[in-house]
Structures are given as C-alpha cells and as structure tokens.
Amino acid sequence: MGENARRRRPGPLAGLLVAVVVAAGCMGGGLDQGEPEQPRPRQSGQPASPGADATRADGTTSVAEFKQDFSDAVGIAQRYWTAQFRASGKQFEPIRRVVPYTRSGEVSCGGEGLPRNNAVYCSAGDFIAYDVNWSVGAFRQVGDAFLFYLLGHEYAHGVQVRLGIRYNFTIQQELQADCMAGAYIGDNVRSGTLTLAEGDLDEFREGLLAVGDDPDQPWFAEGSHGTAEQRSDSFFRGYENSLDACGLG
C-alpha cells in the first residue's frame, strides 16, 4: 500500500496484526497525560532512521521504504482528517508529533515509560510514539499495510480527543478507532490515493479475524479491545461505509 502506488505483495497479514495491533498498538487514548521525553521529538511525518539500511532476504523491504511509507501514512492521515473536519465546518489541528524510540522507557506518557514493541497515542502530549525496531521488523515480515492500519488506528485516537469523545469502557473507544482506521483506508482507496493489490482485502480480513481479546477477558475490563469478530466488523464497517458507520455524530 502506498500513495498513488501499487503496494508490494506482503506476507501473511494475520501474523502481523497478531504481533503488532493486539500486542501493542492499541494503548491508544488510555495514556492521557504527559509529554514525550528524550529523544527530542521530531515533527510528524519525519520518523527517525531505524539504523543501517538493510533488507530482508527477498530484498523488497528496505529501511528507506519503511521511512517513506511511514511518512506517507502520516501525511495521508493529516490530509484526510483535515478534509473531514473542513467538510463539517471545523478546523483540524494535526497531531503534534510522531516520536520514534528504541528502548523501553525512552519515551514516557504521564510519567509512565512506554515499553518496547509498542505504539501509542498520548493525548495530553498529543503525540504518537512507536518502537522503531519493532515496527521495522513487522514491516519486513509482512509488508507496508500494517503501517497504514497502525497509524490510522492511533491517529483515530487523536481525532477522538479532538472531538471530545469519551466512553465509559475501553472497548468502545478501541472499536470506534478500528472503524475510523477502516474509513481512513477505504476512503483513500476509493479516491485513488491508495491502491490495493488483488487479495489484500482478504488478507486484512484474515488478519483482523486473527486478533481479539482472550475469550475469557470481560468486555468491560480496562484495556479490552473487542473480540476478533467485533474488531473485524468494526474495521470493515468503516472501510465499506466510511465515517458514517463509526458513530461520530
């Protein structure tokens, strides 16, 4: 998936989403105080270099490609939400920073150091932070689709804050963010900004069905994200029907 470009054929998306989205990418609006600490945050759309340029065995996923795709995902999200707010007669303020980190505790939110293998939106600091090494590893294993889903989901939490959306239960916040991420991707596919290769939707569906809370986890527990079926339904409801399906009104 890329801006006005046919995306590379990735590996199994299910493996990515299990490792990436469920394990770490959904802390979202739950961390809502604090400013990013060292290293000095870069501006949105300018993630730091993850290290020396290297590729996986098939030579298709370089660090340069990761940086470009991540920058594209941030830029498309900013333009998408700016246009959505403008259509409603409102002004949109982009998320202030996208902060890369490499070590546990290197970036904190509300005095709580962020762990490795994670991505999060911190609402009080208004920034998205992500573990660079973990993100590049997933990018190499699966391809670039996860960058757009992961960035779209975390950006959605920032939009929820801007709209003053607060739910009593984490699961409500997270499923809505899944829907908003689906709308962000779907609307950009329909506009021609993003192009999916044949079979990509099936990979998204299979991946989303592979994620979800443990069956024994109560839906009302703090940190709940929803069952695999709920998450898949929310994402594709947004993908197919745009933001009208996401309960933002």
Side-chain angles (χ1 to χ4, degrees), residues 27-36 96 108-112 114 120-127 154 157-158 160-161 165-167 170 173-174 222:
M27 296 178 70
L31 297 178
D32 59 5
Q33 295 184 12
E35 291 288 342
R96 291 170 57 196
S108 69
C109 181
E112 179 181 350
L114 300 182
V120 61
Y121 170 72
C122 182
S123 61
D126 195 30
F127 67 92
E154 298 305 333
H157 285 308
Q160 288 171 326
V161 169
I165 296 173
R166 297 287 295 183
Y167 287 106
T170 307
Q173 204 90 1
E174 297 297 339
E222 179 68 24

Side-chain angles (χ1 to χ4, degrees), residues 90-132:
K90 301 177 182 178
Q91 183 175 356
F92 178 71
E93 291 293 333
I95 289 175
R96 291 170 57 196
R97 306 179 181 96
V98 176
V99 186
Y101 66 93
T102 59
R103 301 186 304 275
S104 179
E106 186 176 1
V107 175
S108 69
C109 181
E112 179 181 350
L114 300 182
R116 294 180 58 195
N117 305 329
N118 198 22
V120 61
Y121 170 72
C122 182
S123 61
D126 195 30
F127 67 92
I128 293 171
Y130 67 100
D131 180 334
V132 174

Side-chain angles (χ1 to χ4, degrees), residues 189-202:
V189 168
R190 284 184 285 273
S191 71
T193 301
L194 296 174
T195 303
L196 298 181
E198 183 179 356
D200 283 346
L201 283 181
D202 289 336

